[in-house]
Amino acid sequence: MDISFETVGSVTIVTLGGTYFDAGRSKEFRREVIERLSSPAKILIDLTEIQFIDSSGCGAILAASRRANPTGQGPGDLKLCGVTKQVRMVFEMVRLHKIIDIYNTRDEAIRAFEVDSSAVALASR
Amino acid sequence: MLTFNETTVSDAVAQALVGELQASFIPIAATLGCSLAFRIDSRDEWLVIDPACRCDDEYSVGDLDCLGAGRDLATIPIEFEGTWLGDIRVCTPRAAATTLGVLRQIIESTLKRILLEKQESRLRNELSECRQNLEALYETHSLTPTSQSMEAIVDRVLSRAVGGEHDRRAALWVEHNGTLEQFGTEASGNGSRPPFDEGLIRTAVAEQRGLVIDDLQPECGGSARVLIAPVASFHGTRGAVAVWGSASGKPFDSRFVRQTQALATQGVMALEGERLYRAALENELIRQELDIGARMQQMLLIGNQPNPLGFAHVASLVLPSQRVGGDFVEFFPHQDHCIDILIGDVMGKGLKASLVGAAVARQFHRTLCSLLSARQDHLPRPEKIVSIVHEEIARLLAEFDSFVTLNYARIDATTTRFEFVDCGHTPILHHRRQTRQCQPIRGQSMPLGFSDRESYEQVSVLYDDGDLFVFYSDGVTEVRDANGEFFGLERLIALVEGPGHDGNPEALIQIIQTALAHFAGSDRFDDDLTIVVVEAHVAEPPKPGTRTACLEIKSDLSRLEAVRSFVRSVCQGDDYPCLSARRVSLLELAVTEAISNIMIHAYGGRTDCWIRVEGEISNECVLIRCTHTGEPFDPSTVEPPPFDGTREGGYGVYLIDQSVDEVFYVQNGRGIHAITLIQKRQLTEPGA
């Protein structure tokens, strides 16, 4: 599984390659991504190349989300972008789209992180 | 001569006593004016002490009378701690009773002091010797064959036996295979040849009786003193340590004898220990070689049991004996309805038989591959395969002066035919499920290697669904009981016809194995045991318009993409897709979840197990059947997932249910389980 990391501002972008994210790869994802992430953290997972995901892949993304935002109250968060047709279908089946924010592109997701930060700053004044 | 108690007082004591008395009495005699006479032995000396006065031969009272004319002749008894030791006669002036009383007291006190000193000296010497003996035993006991060379151990034992005496020598003899072997000679002096014949050692060892000879007169050389201390170990090893030296040397007292016996025990045990150690080492090497050989045999000669087959349930048992044997088994599955089974036995045992077996099995592989590559649409007949193998292998068998019995059988589930070529092997047992009757079936061909011109012919029988075919090596029927009686074919048939297995191959093999162990009185057998049981089924004829495909994979999660690729290819159809892209995607998801569950849960994460994936397309549906032999799975025990993000797993069964139209979890009760997923073709879908 090709996994690359990139940092834009305070956001760590994780790009998954290799067309599928199934039980054969979720273990590697947990080892290479989740265990390396600081917690809390702002994480964006780019799934543009993933054409197939199964329940194990969904479980790994949920685990990463918990790592990024362990309390559920911020300041960390995990967002997704580049979700393909099959992946969206599975996310909808397991209701993952109701738990994790999904964006069409990276820019949209990063802007959403910035808006979140602004909102937090305003709220703290 | 002083005739004191010989066990407590020696001549040396008497000499010392005389010396003391002389020194004491010369000034006393002068003071008292008495002329005392002592006599030692028969020598004429002034001042005579003669405790042996009772011996008239040696002592003449007249002599003393002459010396002591006009004097009293007084006798003073010598006693020590209530024990009479002797007498001293003293000539003293008449009426000098006082002189005699003083004299008696002086003699007694002097004697007591001398004896006490001697006794103390003797005890000190004994203590010293005991300490040396203990040191010797401790030293020799701590020598082990693993830490010291055997020569060094024997040298130390013999060195301790000699004990630093210059004129002593020692040697160790140990019995081995009925003969005595000498292990080293420790010689403080010159020469190491014993002054006695080895027969003396042999007698002492045989009778286990020690021997002390104080004055042996050998044919050459001076007289010798010899001690032979024989011992026998707990494990029965016998031997002896012999110590010898000049007859004029230090005598062998009882303590020395005991010490020598202890040293002999140490020497014999050390040699026995070394022999046991070497024997254990050799046994371990042999065991390792046999282990490697048996594993090579397993690898080269015993083919992997085939993966779950839809039309046949195969179980096998191969118990290699302690020797490397020549049994071999191979399975050749063909298409989806046919399997070939090869079971053979090379004449003889050992490496040669094993190598010949490997060569024959490999030749079957090569021949089959060659024939199949020439005509992929046609399975070569068993008799043709065997004939070609024989042509190829006959020269090798002749060179090795060997021959091979075998059965090459084929089960075809579409024709329900069981075809086989029997080359002098044990008869195959055909157990009919309906009648529960078992019949041995045989062919007429000769073993491979018997004749260059042998023609091989196959025999064909029809079978019904659920019939069993039992293949076995002669090691099974030739298991013997304590009386030497063979287990035999009749007992084997009775087991196959008997209750308890209900047609299950694994259960039947277990029953046979248990019965053989019970019959032999051991679960280790002299010969290789090979049993193959096949439960044959009848393949359902494909429905018109139905197309099937099959994939077999190892239980490795990295193979999931290959499974999805297989599902996509099944759904693709010959001319057009059978399902919409979304429903293909859902079927892929369901199959992925099902296979993942089998790998992770049914096989517990093991990656060396097999999963068979069959695809079937009909006008009505696309069916994917995933067959495995792992733990069964009951979907009703799985709780529905919560969908609130609190759980990272447990979505698999839910996704399967949501993705396909129908799902069946089937357990056949014989260790084979299947998950069948069906995606129905909808009217809107192409080709439906």
Side-chain angles (χ1 to χ4, degrees), chain B residues 293-549:
Chain B
R295 274 188 283 162
M296 279 178 65
Q297 185 186 10
Q298 285 276 339
M299 195 169 64
L300 292 172
L301 303 183
I302 310 302
N304 288 329
Q305 196 168 302
N307 317 321
L309 301 168
F311 62 94
H313 179 186
V314 181
S316 61
L317 171 76
V318 179
L319 285 180
S321 64
Q322 292 178 27
R323 294 168 297 172
V324 179
D327 282 9
F328 56 93
V329 176
E330 281 292 345
F331 302 96
F332 306 106
H334 305 295
Q335 303 159 1
D336 296 334
H337 57 85
C338 190
I339 183 172
D340 288 1
I341 298 145
L342 169 67
I343 178 168
D345 186 4
V346 181
M347 181 196 72
K349 299 290 167 202
L351 196 59
K352 190 180 87 169
S354 187
L355 290 173
V356 170
V360 173
R362 182 167 172 270
Q363 191 58 48
F364 270 95
H365 269 285
R366 292 179 63 178
T367 302
L368 201 54
C369 287
S370 171
L371 291 170
L372 285 172
S373 62
R375 284 195 63 182
Q376 293 181 0
D377 58 334
H378 176 72
L379 266 182
R381 289 165 62 82
E383 58 191 13
K384 183 174 183 181
I385 296 168
V386 175
S387 296
I388 293 175
V389 167
H390 184 243
E391 284 174 17
E392 298 290 334
I393 210 85
R395 183 182 294 174
L396 175 84
L397 293 174
E399 282 177 10
F400 277 84
D401 193 22
S402 184
F403 64 87
V404 180
T405 67
L406 61 86
N407 272 318
Y408 190 96
R410 175 171 297 163
I411 293 171
D412 189 331
T414 54
T415 62
T416 67
R417 280 190 180 280
F418 178 81
E419 298 171 316
F420 67 102
V421 180
D422 177 10
C423 303
H425 202 63
T426 54
I428 301 164
L429 303 183
H430 180 191
H431 176 260
R432 292 192 177 275
R433 187 178 181 82
Q434 285 186 337
T435 62
R436 294 183 182 274
Q437 297 283 307
C438 182
Q439 184 181 4
I441 49 177
R442 294 184 175 86
Q444 299 294 328
S445 301
M446 300 295 284
L448 268 62
F450 254 36
S451 166
D452 290 346
R453 297 177 183 175
E454 178 67 18
S455 64
Y456 294 93
E457 294 177 0
Q458 66 190 49
V459 179
S460 178
V461 294
L462 288 171
Y463 71 85
D464 294 315
D465 194 59
D467 282 6
L468 296 179
F469 292 97
V470 181
F471 305 78
Y472 54 94
S473 62
D474 58 4
V476 173
T477 48
E478 292 177 3
V479 164
R480 292 172 186 265
D481 67 4
N483 300 318
E485 187 181 346
F486 284 131
F487 186 77
L489 184 58
E490 287 184 7
R491 286 190 178 88
L492 184 61
I493 289 174
L495 292 176
V496 178
E497 289 183 340
H501 59 79
D502 194 27
N504 182 340
E506 278 91 2
L508 177 55
I509 284 178
Q510 184 61 54
I511 288 170
I512 295 171
Q513 188 180 1
T514 305
L516 290 173
H518 181 72
F519 186 78
S522 167
D523 56 0
R524 297 183 71 125
F525 305 101
D526 294 335
D527 201 354
D528 295 349
L529 289 189
T530 306
I531 307 170
V532 176
V533 179
V534 184
E535 180 190 16
H537 293 288
V538 177
E540 288 182 17
K543 295 172 186 171
T546 299
R547 192 166 53 83
T548 61

Side-chain angles (χ1 to χ4, degrees), chain A residues 87-105:
Chain A
V87 176
R88 181 173 288 278
M89 177 185 78
V90 178
F91 281 175
E92 288 172 359
M93 291 169 82
V94 298
R95 321 284 201 273
L96 197 71
H97 65 301
K98 294 191 174 180
I99 299 166
I100 298 175
D101 294 335
I102 300 173
Y103 299 88
N104 290 327
T105 65

Side-chain angles (χ1 to χ4, degrees), chain B residues 80-91:
Chain B
F80 182 68
E81 294 181 344
T83 303
W84 177 84
L85 301 178
D87 294 321
I88 297 176
R89 285 197 169 182
V90 181
C91 293

Side-chain angles (χ1 to χ4, degrees), chain B residues 141-160:
Chain B
H141 182 70
S142 61
L143 300 172
T144 60
T146 50
S147 64
Q148 298 271 332
S149 74
M150 209 51 239
E151 291 77 14
I153 293 173
V154 171
D155 283 350
R156 290 307 299 156
V157 166
L158 296 179
S159 171
R160 285 294 189 175

Side-chain angles (χ1 to χ4, degrees), chain B residues 154 157-158 160-162 169-174 183 196 201 204-205 211 226-231 239-244 256-257 259-268:
Chain B
V154 171
V157 166
L158 296 179
R160 285 294 189 175
V162 166
R169 281 144 280 179
L172 170 69
W173 280 265
V174 176
F183 289 87
F196 48 83
I201 300 285
V205 169
L211 196 65
V226 177
L227 162 64
I228 299 174
V231 289
V241 163
V243 184
W244 65 91
F256 183 75
V257 171
Q259 181 203 338
T260 308
Q261 276 181 325
L263 288 169
T265 303
Q266 297 292 351
V268 167

